[in-house]
Amino acid sequence: MLATIASVFRVSAQRNGAALIMSARTFTDFTTQATFEIKKCDLFKLDEGPATQVVLTRDEGLQYYRTIQIMRRMELKADQLYKQKMIRGFCHLYDGQEACAVGLEASINLSDHLITAYRAHGYTYTRGGTVKEIMAELTGRRGGIAKGKGGSMHMYCKNFYGGNGIIGAQVPLGAGVALACKYLGNNELCVCLYGDGAANQGQIFETYNMAALWKLPVIFVCENNRYGMGTSVERAAASTDYYKRGEFIPGLRVDGMDVLCVREATRFAADHCRSGKGPILMELQTYRYHGHSMSDPGLRFLHLTDLMLQNNLKSTAHVRRSGKCAVRVTPSLC
Amino acid sequence: MAASLRCFLRSGKNTVSALQRRDFHRSAPAAVQMTVRDALNQAMDEELERDERVFLLGEEVAQYDGAYKVSRGLWKKYGDKRIIDTPISEINVLLQAGLRPICEFMTFNFSMQAIDQIINSAAKTYYMSAGLQSVPIVFRGPNGASAGVAAQHSQCFAAWYGHCPGLKVVSPWNSEDAKGLLKSAIRDENPVVVLENELLYGVPFEMSEEAQSKDFTIPIGKAKIERQGNSITLVAHSRYVGHCLDAAAVLAKEGIECEVINLRTIRPMDVETIETSVMKTNHLVTVEGGWPQFGIGAEICARIMEGPAFNYLDSPVTRVTGVDIPMPYAKILEDHSLPQVKDIIFSVKKTLNI
């Protein structure tokens, strides 16, 4: 057997050895990047938007995929631990929305600032927390990122201001962080996230006013996952064009299920802020695969069925496990 | 140079003092009269100068010189970056990471619009983040009743803020209190609520030489005995310290010597000073402008009862408080809705069974 193989190799080495070996390998080893066409963003008070032709390198792709998978596994594990009563109180899971966190982080630096509401486990991870610290916090242990004193909704790390329990309260705080960035003149910005439910809060409009008035370097990000707790956006908002709600603040509507769309939009928004033009608003259209929190069984979500049918999957559980939402996976990059 | 040297050697002391007299700061008289407003202004001026990270924001604090003129002159001196006029948004941007803001509320009644941020964002963050994120912010402004401003503009928030762990709450009475406590508040790493009083802004008090210095601070959490006495203890904060002293002066003529304690700090409250005093006088009357239920007086009563001083009480504690109604407008009703000197005198006599 070995002799045969050896003779084959000897023969091929004499002839076109290199070509034979090349054909035995996949295309991957010779492509370090690929170009993709992404969805165009809807624009509000902007003449031009983010790029639609983007380049993704192999390393970037693998890094995004790895991060997204870790976040997905972490959230699903949290689901399991909650059902085993090892996690108490509130637990708002982020699975389905991973592309938002990963895409955002890809276009800002760790020296920039970020603040979000209570669906914060994903951001805690992308901002520098470890899975161990997050899980320890959820289970109320001393090794937790807030030493067990914060819990699911109150996780903090450097340049990450939580984890805030009161809906909408983090938005004025985010503008405050941006005010500090401007005051200290350090060319940093603040990404300030809120949901479609919070978008109807008065304090957010007060914040839009002040941010625009003082040209604060803040990116307002509305993660529109189509449901505020159990209420669909059509039943809660007079206008569901959340990217237009800033009125005098330019806005973008972005496909939040595509990490490259989010990355490009954030890059565009960050440039806008850092050039001193003031705040900008991004609406990321996304889905969450669990209910609002662990107390919500989440059976009413029709979009899961849509995704199921779209992707020929056997059940909604498959959608959750498949990672289907998050990254554009092409065979050549695997 | 040679001439002045000869001058010095010839006239000695006179020349030296003449040279010293040119430096006005050092040659100030021992004590000056200063209004509470000016004391607060001086405190902020000195702290703004001392630390680049300190800044003031609030409605009308800059170009208008402050709604009650407390920040007069600061905008001219420090400019737009350090003194910021805000729109009417009490939810004033709070988390100025790494900076040390002073947030002025035009009155604390408006702070209710931002109270979620004060409690849930400012007060609790240091604990929730296990010490990672501190919030060195000062909330200041006039608190309590004014004159004729009616129900929605007259509430006292000492009990509301005093209830919350994570906050420090101070309530100055005179100019020294105002300057010393505000400076301590600005230098403190915790969120501090400074409850001023509008009616006191224009009142002049003596400022000792020590109080005029740029580093004069009063420790937060320590009460002051304004008047020594051994018949009865009167405990008050803010404007009512003055009322207690007036009542004490009247009672002294009848041979009743009141010990008047100025709380200065609501949270953390200096219970030891009150206990020591009660153990000496055996009687206690508390005076406050806020409503009686769940108020400052109620807390003092509970703490005295729980501690060693209880065994020294010869009669139950009397609380003198604002009347349990929304503040009326008509002057005669308003006057009778707040503690007056005669109410304090009456309560003292009732407690002493005279």
Side-chain angles (χ1 to χ4, degrees):
Chain A
M1 165 76 169
L2 274 167
T4 328
I5 295 169
S7 61
V8 168
F9 271 77
R10 224 180 297 125
V11 163
S12 50
Q14 281 161 14
R15 254 184 289 155
N16 212 347
L20 184 68
I21 292 162
M22 243 179 83
S23 61
R25 291 188 188 180
T26 60
F27 196 58
T28 322
D29 298 314
F30 300 89
T31 311
T32 52
Q33 62 187 44
T35 312
F36 293 95
E37 190 75 35
I38 58 172
K39 216 197 260 188
K40 194 172 181 301
C41 294
D42 293 326
L43 303 175
F44 176 69
K45 288 215 154 78
L46 284 165
D47 295 322
E48 38 159 45
T52 49
Q53 276 239 326
V54 296
V55 170
L56 177 70
T57 68
R58 183 172 183 272
D59 288 338
E60 280 172 352
L62 285 173
Q63 189 225 322
Y64 298 160
Y65 182 67
R66 189 186 172 77
T67 312
I68 286 170
Q69 270 293 358
I70 289 176
M71 283 163 65
R72 177 63 63 92
R73 292 282 160 263
M74 184 175 76
E75 294 297 76
L76 292 180
K77 193 65 188 174
D79 170 287
Q80 204 177 49
L81 290 175
Y82 194 92
K83 287 171 178 154
Q84 292 174 323
K85 297 205 193 312
M86 291 186 72
I87 298 177
R88 301 163 56 237
F90 288 122
C91 192
H92 305 86
L93 298 175
Y94 197 66
D95 54 320
Q97 300 183 209
E98 296 89 349
C100 299
V102 175
L104 269 168
E105 198 62 49
S107 289
I108 59 172
N109 311 312
L110 278 173
S111 58
D112 289 316
H113 308 266
L114 194 142
I115 188 170
T116 184
Y118 43 75
R119 205 174 297 281
H121 307 161
Y123 288 101
T124 314
Y125 182 70
T126 54
R127 283 263 102 193
T130 62
V131 176
K132 185 175 173 183
E133 282 174 327
I134 295 169
M135 297 308 253
E137 185 61 35
L138 288 173
T139 50
R141 280 161 166 67
R142 204 165 44 195
I145 201 164
K147 301 187 183 142
K149 290 184 170 181
S152 169
M153 296 192 294
H154 307 298
M155 298 193 188
Y156 300 77
C157 60
K158 188 161 191 299
N159 294 344
F160 175 57
Y161 307 94
N164 289 277
I166 308 297
I167 290 190
Q170 75 280 9
V171 181
L173 297 183
V177 176
L179 176 67
C181 294
K182 187 165 182 195
Y183 187 100
L184 296 168
N186 51 23
N187 202 32
E188 290 163 9
L189 52 78
C190 182
V191 180
C192 179
L193 295 123
Y194 56 95
D196 48 279
N200 300 316
Q201 275 259 314
Q203 53 190 320
I204 292 186
F205 293 90
E206 291 186 38
T207 312
Y208 289 158
N209 179 46
M210 288 163 123
L213 188 65
W214 296 335
K215 290 200 162 37
L216 300 179
V218 53
I219 304 177
F220 293 112
V221 180
C222 178
E223 283 180 298
N224 178 7
N225 59 20
R226 305 247 243 108
Y227 289 87
M229 262 188 90
T231 308
S232 74
V233 292
E234 292 80 27
R235 288 206 302 132
S239 159
T240 55
D241 291 330
Y242 295 102
Y243 69 114
K244 290 186 184 169
R245 291 281 198 96
E247 201 194 335
F248 33 77
I249 297 180
L252 295 165
R253 182 156 55 189
V254 183
D255 178 4
M257 298 305 265
D258 183 343
V259 70
L260 293 175
C261 281
V262 179
R263 187 185 79 173
E264 288 314 303
T266 309
R267 187 169 291 169
F268 178 85
D271 288 339
H272 178 101
C273 280
R274 282 192 233 271
S275 63
K277 294 198 190 119
I280 187 166
L281 211 163
M282 281 192 341
E283 178 191 338
L284 305 179
Q285 294 197 304
T286 182
Y287 293 126
R288 52 172 154 83
Y289 285 164
H290 268 83
H292 164 72
S293 73
M294 287 307 299
S295 342
D296 175 5
L299 296 171
R300 73 197 84 188
F301 299 106
L302 300 173
H303 58 265
L304 276 178
T305 328
D306 291 338
L307 276 166
M308 197 175 93
L309 294 167
Q310 268 173 32
N311 296 289
N312 294 318
L313 296 168
K314 290 200 197 73
S315 72
T316 53
H318 271 80
V319 177
R320 292 182 197 195
R321 285 201 292 271
S322 70
K324 215 66 187 160
C325 64
V327 73
R328 185 187 292 269
V329 173
T330 51
S332 60
L333 279 178
C334 285
Chain B
M1 165 67 184
S4 54
L5 187 62
R6 248 179 283 133
C7 209
F8 169 75
L9 290 166
R10 239 179 271 152
S11 39
K13 225 193 288 177
N14 292 341
T15 319
V16 171
S17 58
L19 286 166
Q20 276 182 330
R21 225 174 286 128
R22 267 186 235 143
D23 191 347
F24 288 113
H25 179 73
R26 243 183 283 158
S27 65
V32 289
Q33 290 275 312
M34 189 184 281
T35 60
V36 171
R37 175 183 290 118
D38 290 338
L40 293 165
N41 188 291
Q42 193 178 80
M44 286 197 285
D45 191 358
E46 289 170 4
E47 293 305 303
L48 281 158
E49 198 182 316
R50 179 178 177 268
D51 189 342
E52 262 288 302
R53 298 170 301 168
V54 175
F55 68 103
L56 172 66
L57 78 171
E59 292 150 27
E60 311 297 353
V61 294
Q63 297 183 20
Y64 196 79
D65 272 339
Y68 298 101
K69 305 292 178 240
V70 178
S71 53
R72 175 170 41 208
L74 295 178
W75 176 68
K76 277 214 178 74
K77 186 170 175 186
Y78 295 99
D80 282 329
K81 186 182 171 192
R82 311 285 300 284
I83 312 291
I84 305 174
D85 271 333
T86 60
I88 303 176
S89 262
E90 272 68 25
I91 295 209
N92 286 328
V93 290
L94 279 182
L95 187 62
Q96 290 92 347
L99 300 181
R100 307 184 73 92
I102 307 169
C103 291
E104 177 174 306
F105 285 118
M106 202 177 283
T107 77
F108 266 96
N109 300 282
F110 313 143
S111 75
M112 281 199 281
Q113 303 253 299
I115 202 167
D116 168 59
Q117 297 287 1
I118 299 169
I119 309 300
N120 281 318
S121 301
K124 297 179 184 172
T125 295
Y126 189 70
Y127 186 89
M128 291 193 299
S129 67
L132 184 67
Q133 184 64 54
S134 68
V135 188
I137 193 170
V138 172
F139 301 104
R140 51 158 291 270
N143 174 60
S146 180
V149 292
Q152 292 180 345
H153 289 70
S154 305
Q155 190 171 332
C156 176
F157 287 85
W160 283 41
Y161 290 118
H163 187 61
C164 299
L167 280 183
K168 289 190 180 177
V169 183
V170 299
S171 184
W173 166 54
N174 60 13
S175 303
E176 278 201 21
D177 286 357
K179 181 176 170 184
L181 288 172
L182 182 54
K183 282 168 82 78
S184 292
I186 294 169
R187 296 182 190 191
D188 200 305
E189 291 305 314
N190 298 287
V192 184
V193 173
V194 182
L195 302 170
E196 301 158 6
N197 189 293
E198 200 222 316
L199 297 171
L200 289 174
Y201 280 154
V203 179
F205 291 95
E206 222 171 68
M207 283 280 267
S208 67
E209 199 173 342
E210 189 209 345
Q212 289 164 51
S213 113
K214 284 195 177 182
D215 277 311
F216 172 69
T217 56
I218 288 177
I220 295 179
K222 201 82 192 69
K224 183 182 180 204
I225 300 176
E226 298 284 351
R227 185 186 193 281
Q228 296 273 356
N230 44 34
S231 308
I232 186 167
T233 303
L234 301 176
V235 182
H237 70 98
S238 190
R239 186 156 170 257
Y240 301 95
V241 176
H243 284 42
C244 286
L245 289 168
D246 292 341
V250 172
L251 288 162
K253 294 183 197 140
E254 297 177 43
I256 301 169
E257 291 301 325
C258 303
E259 180 146 292
V260 178
I261 298 179
N262 173 3
L263 268 181
R264 283 183 162 176
T265 304
I266 304 291
R267 188 183 176 104
M269 190 151 66
D270 183 2
V271 187
E272 286 80 44
T273 303
I274 308 174
E275 281 176 338
T276 311
S277 176
V278 170
M279 292 198 282
K280 182 173 77 168
T281 65
N282 309 121
H283 299 90
L284 177 59
V285 169
T286 68
V287 187
E288 67 193 284
W291 295 314
Q293 283 199 62
F294 308 97
I296 307 296
E299 177 65 16
I300 293 174
C301 287
R303 300 277 273 265
I304 292 293
M305 184 207 63
E306 288 164 358
F310 175 70
N311 295 313
Y312 291 77
L313 280 174
D314 285 347
S315 61
V317 179
T318 304
R319 296 180 287 166
V320 181
T321 70
V323 176
D324 196 29
I325 51 167
M327 183 65 70
Y329 167 64
K331 187 169 195 317
I332 188 159
L333 293 177
E334 186 181 36
D335 288 343
H336 285 84
S337 303
L338 292 164
Q340 297 173 288
V341 177
K342 63 175 168 70
D343 297 321
I344 302 172
I345 295 170
F346 176 81
S347 299
V348 166
K349 290 188 172 172
K350 187 179 119 183
T351 310
L352 291 172
N353 208 16
I354 294 166

